[in-house]
Amino acid sequence: MSEIPAKATESEDPSDGARRSAAGDPAADTSRASTDGPELSSSHRATRDTGLGDEPTADAMWQSSPPGSIYDYIKVASFSIGPDGLVDQWSLRAEQLFGIPARRALGMDPIEAFVDPDLREQGQRKMAEILDGREWTGVVPFRAPGTAGEGEKEGLAEVYVMPTRTEEGEKAAVCIVVDVRTLRSIETDLAASQSIFGQSPFGFLLIDPDLRIRRANQQFAQTFGGAYGSSPEAHRGRGVHDYLRSPEAERVAATLRRVLETGDSITDMHVTGFLPGSEERRHWSVNLYRVHSGSGRPIGIAWLGIDITSRRAAAREAAAARRNLALLNEAGARIGNSLDLETTARELLDVVVPGFCDLATVDLYQGLLAGDETPPGLADGSAQLRRVAFASAVSDAPFIGSGPPVAVGAVHHYPFNSPCADALRTARPQLVPAEEGGLVQSTLAVPMVAHDTVVGLVQFARTKGSEPFGDRDRDLAVELAARAAVCIDNARLYRREHERALILQRSLLPPGDPVAAGLDIACRYLPGNSSADRPSEVGGDWFDVIELPGHRTALVVGDVMGRGLRAAVAMGELRSAVRTLALLDLEPAEVLSALDEIARGLGAPGGVQQATRAARRPREADLSEVYLATCVYAVYDSVTRRCTFANAGHLPPVLVEPGEDALMLDVPPGMPLGVGGEPFEEVEVELPEGALLALYTDGLVESRDHPLDEGLQAFVGALTDPTRPLEDVCDHVLNTLDTHHGEDDIALLMARVQGLPTDSVGDWTLPREPRSVGRAREYARGQLLSWDLEPLVDTTELLVSELVTNALRYGEGEIRLRLLLDRTLVCEVWDSGLVQPRRRRARDTDEGGRGLQLVGLLSAAWGSRRTPRGKTVWFELPLPDGETGLADPAEALLSLF
């Protein structure tokens, strides 16, 4: 190893050290003390120049170096060399540096012990120069024996050799040794610390235990300087209160003291304040940690800060955007779940209060709520409105805007020049000025616009202490109001269509309370509405009571599958078809077969014939155009008390006989109407006097929460007392069953059997001979007289003779005459012929052909129907009540000519 160049100096007075030693100078004694360099170094309070060197004054004292000195970092060792060039004193630090204890080092030749063999000759020359009284400073590589298990220790030492003299005056030397590698490490650490401190992008401070700035970097001066300038020196000695205002300064100072006392570091502490000399609020993020000396003693606090004002502003913007987006998502999920106008308005306020504002109201045009065909739209803004919703997060008092308070449900209007009227007129949001001394500081009046139509007004208000509305809030308010407006407009359209369909549906049902011969009738119809969990539309349920000739009655209950106006229209067409078919006096199975053809024709563009042709090939029609319906059709004969049923996929009728439990009649269900391809079966049942018959739709016995079987059993169980008045029985059934009304329409038709008494029926059989005409007149006269219907005798005799004569001339088999008395008088003539009588207009020269014309003139109604064994021709006369006059037979005969 080569020696690093060194310099040697000649001592001006080689004997200077010896003289001090001879004079008893304590400084000379220290050269041979076996102590470390730092332990021997002194702090001189005062010195004076004596010409012999610096000597301590009388008050000088030796003391240990204070903690935190440079010697905590630089380990300085010392040893002395005697006149013989051997070590005669060895300090403890030398032991630590070279790893050789004093007992071994004393008497060693330092050149032989530590210097590389290649450099020993040069080292000997230097040693001779030193012992000759020359000072020398240099860097010397050295080797030292290692401890057990280790090799030789190599190092690089900076040595300062000072000549001295022993007590005998012989030349010696004192050596001060510093480990060069330690110095280089300290230099590197200092350079790194300086570069970090000076080049850091953070504001860097070193704060002393008195919480005063001892050092600041350029970045801190630029970031926090303000009026103090951008020079780091301008900040030295300043405290927290020079930069922050109370109470933020007290909070930061307390945090600094806590870090200094506990040593706990602080990360990302947010500090808010103003730059010195500025009123602009700034935000900083600060990291704090305690700084220690080399001995571990706390010497201050390091402060690293960065301005996060823009980041905080961006975070607020992002948070506001996320909050607005979340509010819009919530609005989309919660607004519009109901097709009710008032409910939709309340849903809007549930979303915005208190998340967006503190108070809010919704006003809708009164005409909109009243069901006007066209809402006001862009009117002058002074039209009448109704307050439908109000919400407050601060009080329950009515919302106070411009003008007097308006209660929920009240009808009002805004003055023409008011901001609210201007918002309604222009369809643009307006800011409503706050009232002096009021609770509200900022109000937005936002029109509710749907499909370019203003349907109402929303007012959003924030109370004092809240942030006023900004441009972003205005945009959000417009979006919320628009979403609610669309839902309200949809609810308005739904309400209009629902009401129209309901009107149509009710117009197609029997008006008032139906009446029938031999039956006591009660009915209930409850349309579905929007009071359930999901909005409902009108359905296709219907019932009907149709009077048939011969004091017979047709009872009909049906249900078109599907909901809405389409189902209601289909129901009306089927009901009209049923009445038409019933007037033809067809059998129940024939009626349902004809209805099936009609139902298939409803979904085919070409009507019934096209549907019949399509039934012969695979059907590929759109299912939305297929009309399906269920129906039960029953014909009751009040004379025989027999009822004939035919069923097209409907629920079975329920019969309650006196003294018996209710039971469901076993009527073959058949296929629903519109399916086609299957015949319908009939079942005839004799109904005892006083029996109760119930026809109904599935809305009565089935719901989402209760299966059909449970509903049927509950319905049968509710019919326990058939003797009660029918109106009470209907109410009892509806109140007992858990109908979940609103999910589906409910139709209930109940009839109590009251057959015609025997004395109200006259029945005779006549042989096919001319004398039967006279006998028929006699039977009719006698029966009418027994019923006290003398005013009808002449007319009845005339019409009976005409019908019996036709039966003799055009019919077959024996003739049967039957008179029935109920609310009207019915006369029937039966024969075995299949040819139906046909009314025609006779010419003036014709001798016959006027009999049926006469029957039509004198009777209230007449007709013919087929029977299993022929046909029946009948006519009906009203009973004399003193108000309705009877036609004069003579005038009727003259009118034929």
Side-chain angles (χ1 to χ4, degrees):
M1 299 176 63
S2 62
E3 177 185 3
I4 300 176
K7 64 180 181 178
T9 60
E10 180 78 27
S11 175
E12 295 180 357
D13 188 359
S15 63
D16 180 62
R19 286 198 301 269
R20 285 198 299 269
S21 176
D25 190 348
D29 297 338
T30 62
S31 65
R32 291 185 295 271
S34 298
T35 58
D36 298 344
E39 295 170 353
L40 295 176
S41 63
S42 62
S43 175
H44 298 279
R45 296 186 180 179
T47 62
R48 71 172 182 268
D49 187 4
T50 63
L52 299 176
D54 292 338
E55 293 184 357
T57 60
D59 57 349
M61 60 176 293
W62 294 92
Q63 64 180 16
S64 173
S65 298
S69 69
I70 188 63
Y71 298 109
D72 288 339
Y73 302 95
I74 303 176
K75 303 301 182 182
V76 180
S78 66
F79 62 91
S80 63
I81 300 174
D84 53 0
L86 302 178
V87 176
D88 63 352
Q89 292 194 26
W90 193 255
S91 68
L92 294 178
R93 287 287 177 84
E95 290 185 6
Q96 296 173 2
L97 177 61
F98 294 102
I100 299 176
R103 56 183 174 80
R104 289 178 54 192
L106 294 177
M108 292 177 57
D109 184 350
I111 302 301
E112 295 293 334
F114 304 114
V115 179
D116 189 91
D118 297 336
L119 301 176
R120 287 176 183 173
E121 181 179 355
Q122 184 179 358
Q124 293 295 345
R125 290 197 303 269
K126 293 295 182 181
M127 179 61 70
E129 294 176 0
I130 291 171
L131 293 177
D132 194 31
R134 294 176 64 86
E135 291 186 356
W136 182 82
T137 302
V139 177
V140 179
F142 68 88
R143 294 184 307 165
T147 59
E150 297 182 359
E152 289 186 340
K153 178 179 179 182
E154 295 184 358
L156 194 65
E158 183 174 340
V159 182
Y160 176 44
V161 181
M162 296 175 291
T164 185
R165 292 181 182 273
T166 64
E167 293 179 356
E168 292 79 11
E170 296 178 313
K171 292 182 178 181
V174 175
C175 299
I176 306 298
V177 183
V178 178
D179 190 350
V180 173
R181 294 182 177 177
T182 302
L183 288 175
R184 298 293 181 267
S185 175
I186 292 175
E187 290 176 355
T188 303
D189 292 344
L190 287 175
S193 298
Q194 182 62 31
S195 63
I196 293 175
F197 194 85
Q199 301 174 19
S200 173
F202 300 96
F204 209 146
L205 291 181
L206 290 179
I207 301 175
D208 64 16
D210 295 331
L211 305 186
R212 293 288 176 180
I213 297 176
R214 284 300 166 212
R215 188 175 181 184
N217 69 347
Q218 188 66 39
Q219 185 65 31
F220 176 85
Q222 294 176 354
T223 304
F224 299 87
Y228 297 144
S230 59
S231 173
E233 294 299 325
H235 299 273
R236 190 184 300 273
R238 298 189 182 277
V240 175
H241 289 79
D242 294 326
Y243 299 92
L244 300 174
R245 303 175 184 177
S246 297
E248 187 74 349
E250 283 77 6
R251 182 179 73 89
V252 174
T255 303
L256 291 173
R257 283 190 290 269
R258 185 170 69 252
V259 172
L260 190 61
E261 293 171 359
T262 65
D264 296 335
S265 60
I266 300 295
T267 303
D268 195 23
M269 179 180 73
H270 286 195
V271 178
T272 302
F274 303 87
L275 293 177
S278 172
E279 293 300 323
E280 180 185 2
R281 181 181 294 272
R282 310 292 294 179
H283 300 273
W284 300 280
S285 174
V286 177
N287 296 327
L288 303 173
Y289 60 91
R290 191 167 67 181
V291 180
H292 304 84
S293 67
S295 62
R297 181 178 64 89
I299 60 174
I301 303 168
W303 166 303
L304 286 86
I306 187 172
D307 193 327
I308 60 171
T309 303
S310 59
R311 190 173 74 186
R312 285 285 297 270
R316 286 197 301 269
E317 293 284 336
R322 288 193 299 270
R323 183 176 63 252
N324 294 349
L325 182 60
L327 196 64
L328 288 176
N329 289 338
E330 184 182 5
R334 297 180 60 181
I335 299 176
N337 293 324
S338 171
L339 288 176
D340 180 75
L341 297 174
E342 291 81 359
T343 302
T344 302
R346 288 192 296 269
E347 289 171 346
L348 170 62
L349 300 193
D350 291 340
V351 171
V352 300
V353 177
F356 177 69
C357 60
D358 299 317
L359 302 99
T361 63
V362 177
D363 297 325
L364 298 180
Y365 276 117
Q366 176 66 11
L368 188 79
L369 298 170
D372 289 351
E373 187 69 20
T374 303
L378 295 176
D380 61 357
S382 60
Q384 286 190 335
L385 300 103
R386 181 190 299 173
R387 180 147 297 174
V388 296
F390 164 76
S392 171
V394 295
S395 67
D396 294 329
F399 179 81
I400 299 179
S402 56
V406 179
V408 175
V411 178
H412 67 105
H413 71 277
Y414 293 105
F416 180 81
N417 294 325
S418 65
C420 294
D422 188 49
L424 291 170
R425 183 168 52 252
T426 62
R428 295 179 180 177
Q430 299 292 331
L431 188 63
V432 180
E435 294 184 352
E436 292 292 337
L439 178 67
V440 176
Q441 74 157 347
S442 181
T443 302
L444 271 178
V446 183
M448 305 179 71
V449 183
H451 308 116
D452 298 328
T453 300
V454 178
V455 298
L457 182 75
V458 186
Q459 293 188 69
F460 305 102
R462 289 178 179 174
T463 58
K464 294 181 178 178
S466 301
E467 184 179 357
F469 290 110
D471 293 338
R472 185 187 302 105
D473 297 323
R474 181 189 298 257
D475 296 339
L476 178 60
V478 171
E479 178 65 22
L480 290 171
R483 292 194 178 194
V486 171
C487 295
I488 287 176
D489 192 56
N490 291 339
R492 175 185 69 86
L493 296 176
Y494 166 78
R495 175 182 289 185
R496 184 186 67 183
E497 297 302 321
H498 181 78
E499 290 177 351
R500 288 179 178 179
L502 195 59
I503 292 172
L504 173 63
Q505 188 180 39
R506 289 189 179 278
S507 66
L508 298 175
L509 294 174
D513 296 328
V515 292
L519 291 175
D520 185 9
I521 301 293
C523 56
R524 293 289 187 275
Y525 175 75
L526 302 178
N529 52 45
S530 58
S531 62
D533 294 338
R534 60 180 183 180
S536 298
E537 298 174 320
V538 294
D541 294 17
W542 92 91
F543 68 91
D544 210 345
V545 178
I546 307 171
E547 292 189 78
L548 301 178
H551 289 314
R552 293 173 304 130
T553 303
L555 304 176
V556 188
V557 170
D559 183 4
V560 176
M561 297 182 185
R563 305 195 61 78
L565 191 61
R566 173 179 172 272
V569 171
M571 177 269 288
E573 294 188 28
L574 292 178
R575 178 176 179 267
S576 300
V578 169
R579 296 188 70 87
T580 302
L581 295 172
L583 293 178
L584 295 178
D585 215 347
L586 301 177
E587 296 297 325
E590 295 176 340
V591 171
L592 293 185
S593 297
L595 277 180
D596 180 59
E597 292 289 339
I598 294 173
R600 284 189 291 164
L602 294 178
V608 178
Q609 293 183 355
Q610 184 68 25
T612 304
R613 297 190 188 100
R616 299 191 183 101
R617 62 178 183 268
R619 185 168 184 176
E620 299 178 356
D622 185 1
L623 293 180
S624 64
E625 297 299 326
V626 175
Y627 288 80
L628 298 178
T630 62
C631 180
V632 60
Y633 184 88
V635 175
Y636 169 71
D637 190 339
S638 61
V639 178
T640 62
R641 293 200 309 274
R642 302 188 69 84
C643 189
T644 304
F645 295 92
N647 192 354
H650 201 78
L651 298 174
V654 175
L655 178 64
V656 185
E657 298 183 2
E660 301 290 341
D661 294 334
L663 56 90
M664 289 182 287
L665 296 178
D666 186 12
V667 179
M671 299 299 292
L673 302 177
V675 175
E678 293 293 333
F680 297 98
E681 300 182 28
E682 294 181 353
V683 173
E684 189 176 57
V685 179
E686 184 175 354
L687 305 179
E689 185 73 18
L692 185 63
L693 180 65
L695 305 178
Y696 53 95
T697 58
D698 58 354
L700 180 68
V701 295
E702 185 179 23
S703 67
R704 287 178 294 175
D705 300 328
H706 294 83
L708 179 61
D709 293 342
E710 291 183 7
L712 288 174
Q713 293 299 326
F715 178 49
V716 170
L719 298 174
T720 56
D721 187 6
T723 61
R724 297 174 59 183
L726 277 185
E727 296 293 335
D728 295 345
V729 174
C730 290
D731 294 337
H732 173 71
V733 168
L734 295 178
N735 293 332
T736 302
L737 297 183
D738 188 8
T739 59
H740 288 267
H741 177 52
E743 294 183 9
D744 196 3
D745 296 355
I746 295 176
L748 175 62
L749 178 62
M750 306 193 75
R752 178 175 286 117
V753 175
Q754 296 175 351
L756 284 180
T758 306
D759 56 3
S760 296
V761 179
D763 196 348
W764 304 273
T765 302
L766 302 173
R768 290 193 61 84
E769 57 184 27
R771 291 183 300 174
S772 295
V773 177
R775 292 179 182 177
R777 289 198 296 268
E778 293 177 0
Y779 292 151
R781 172 181 287 274
Q783 187 65 61
L784 293 179
L785 292 177
S786 65
W787 289 339
D788 294 330
L789 296 177
E790 185 176 355
L792 300 180
V793 171
D794 293 339
T795 303
T796 303
E797 283 185 330
L798 178 59
L799 299 183
V800 165
S801 63
E802 287 294 335
L803 295 185
V804 173
T805 301
N806 281 343
L808 289 173
R809 294 182 61 181
Y810 306 109
E812 299 177 1
E814 63 181 3
I815 301 172
R816 181 183 176 188
L817 173 65
R818 189 169 72 168
L819 295 178
L820 307 176
L821 177 61
D822 191 59
R823 293 178 293 109
T824 60
L825 176 66
V826 176
C827 176
E828 299 176 337
V829 176
W830 304 48
D831 67 77
S832 301
L834 299 178
V835 179
Q836 298 289 328
R838 182 172 60 89
R839 181 177 177 180
R840 65 183 180 86
R841 179 174 296 277
R843 295 188 295 268
D844 294 342
T845 58
D846 291 342
E847 295 183 359
R850 297 179 176 85
L852 293 181
Q853 294 186 37
L854 183 63
V855 173
L857 289 173
L858 296 179
S859 64
W862 78 278
S864 64
R865 68 176 185 275
R866 290 180 298 172
T867 63
R869 295 185 178 86
K871 66 176 182 295
T872 300
V873 183
W874 59 271
F875 66 86
E876 182 177 343
L877 295 176
L879 299 181
D881 56 3
E883 297 179 359
T884 304
L886 299 176
D888 187 359
E891 294 182 358
L893 287 172
L894 293 176
S895 65
L896 296 178
F897 299 96

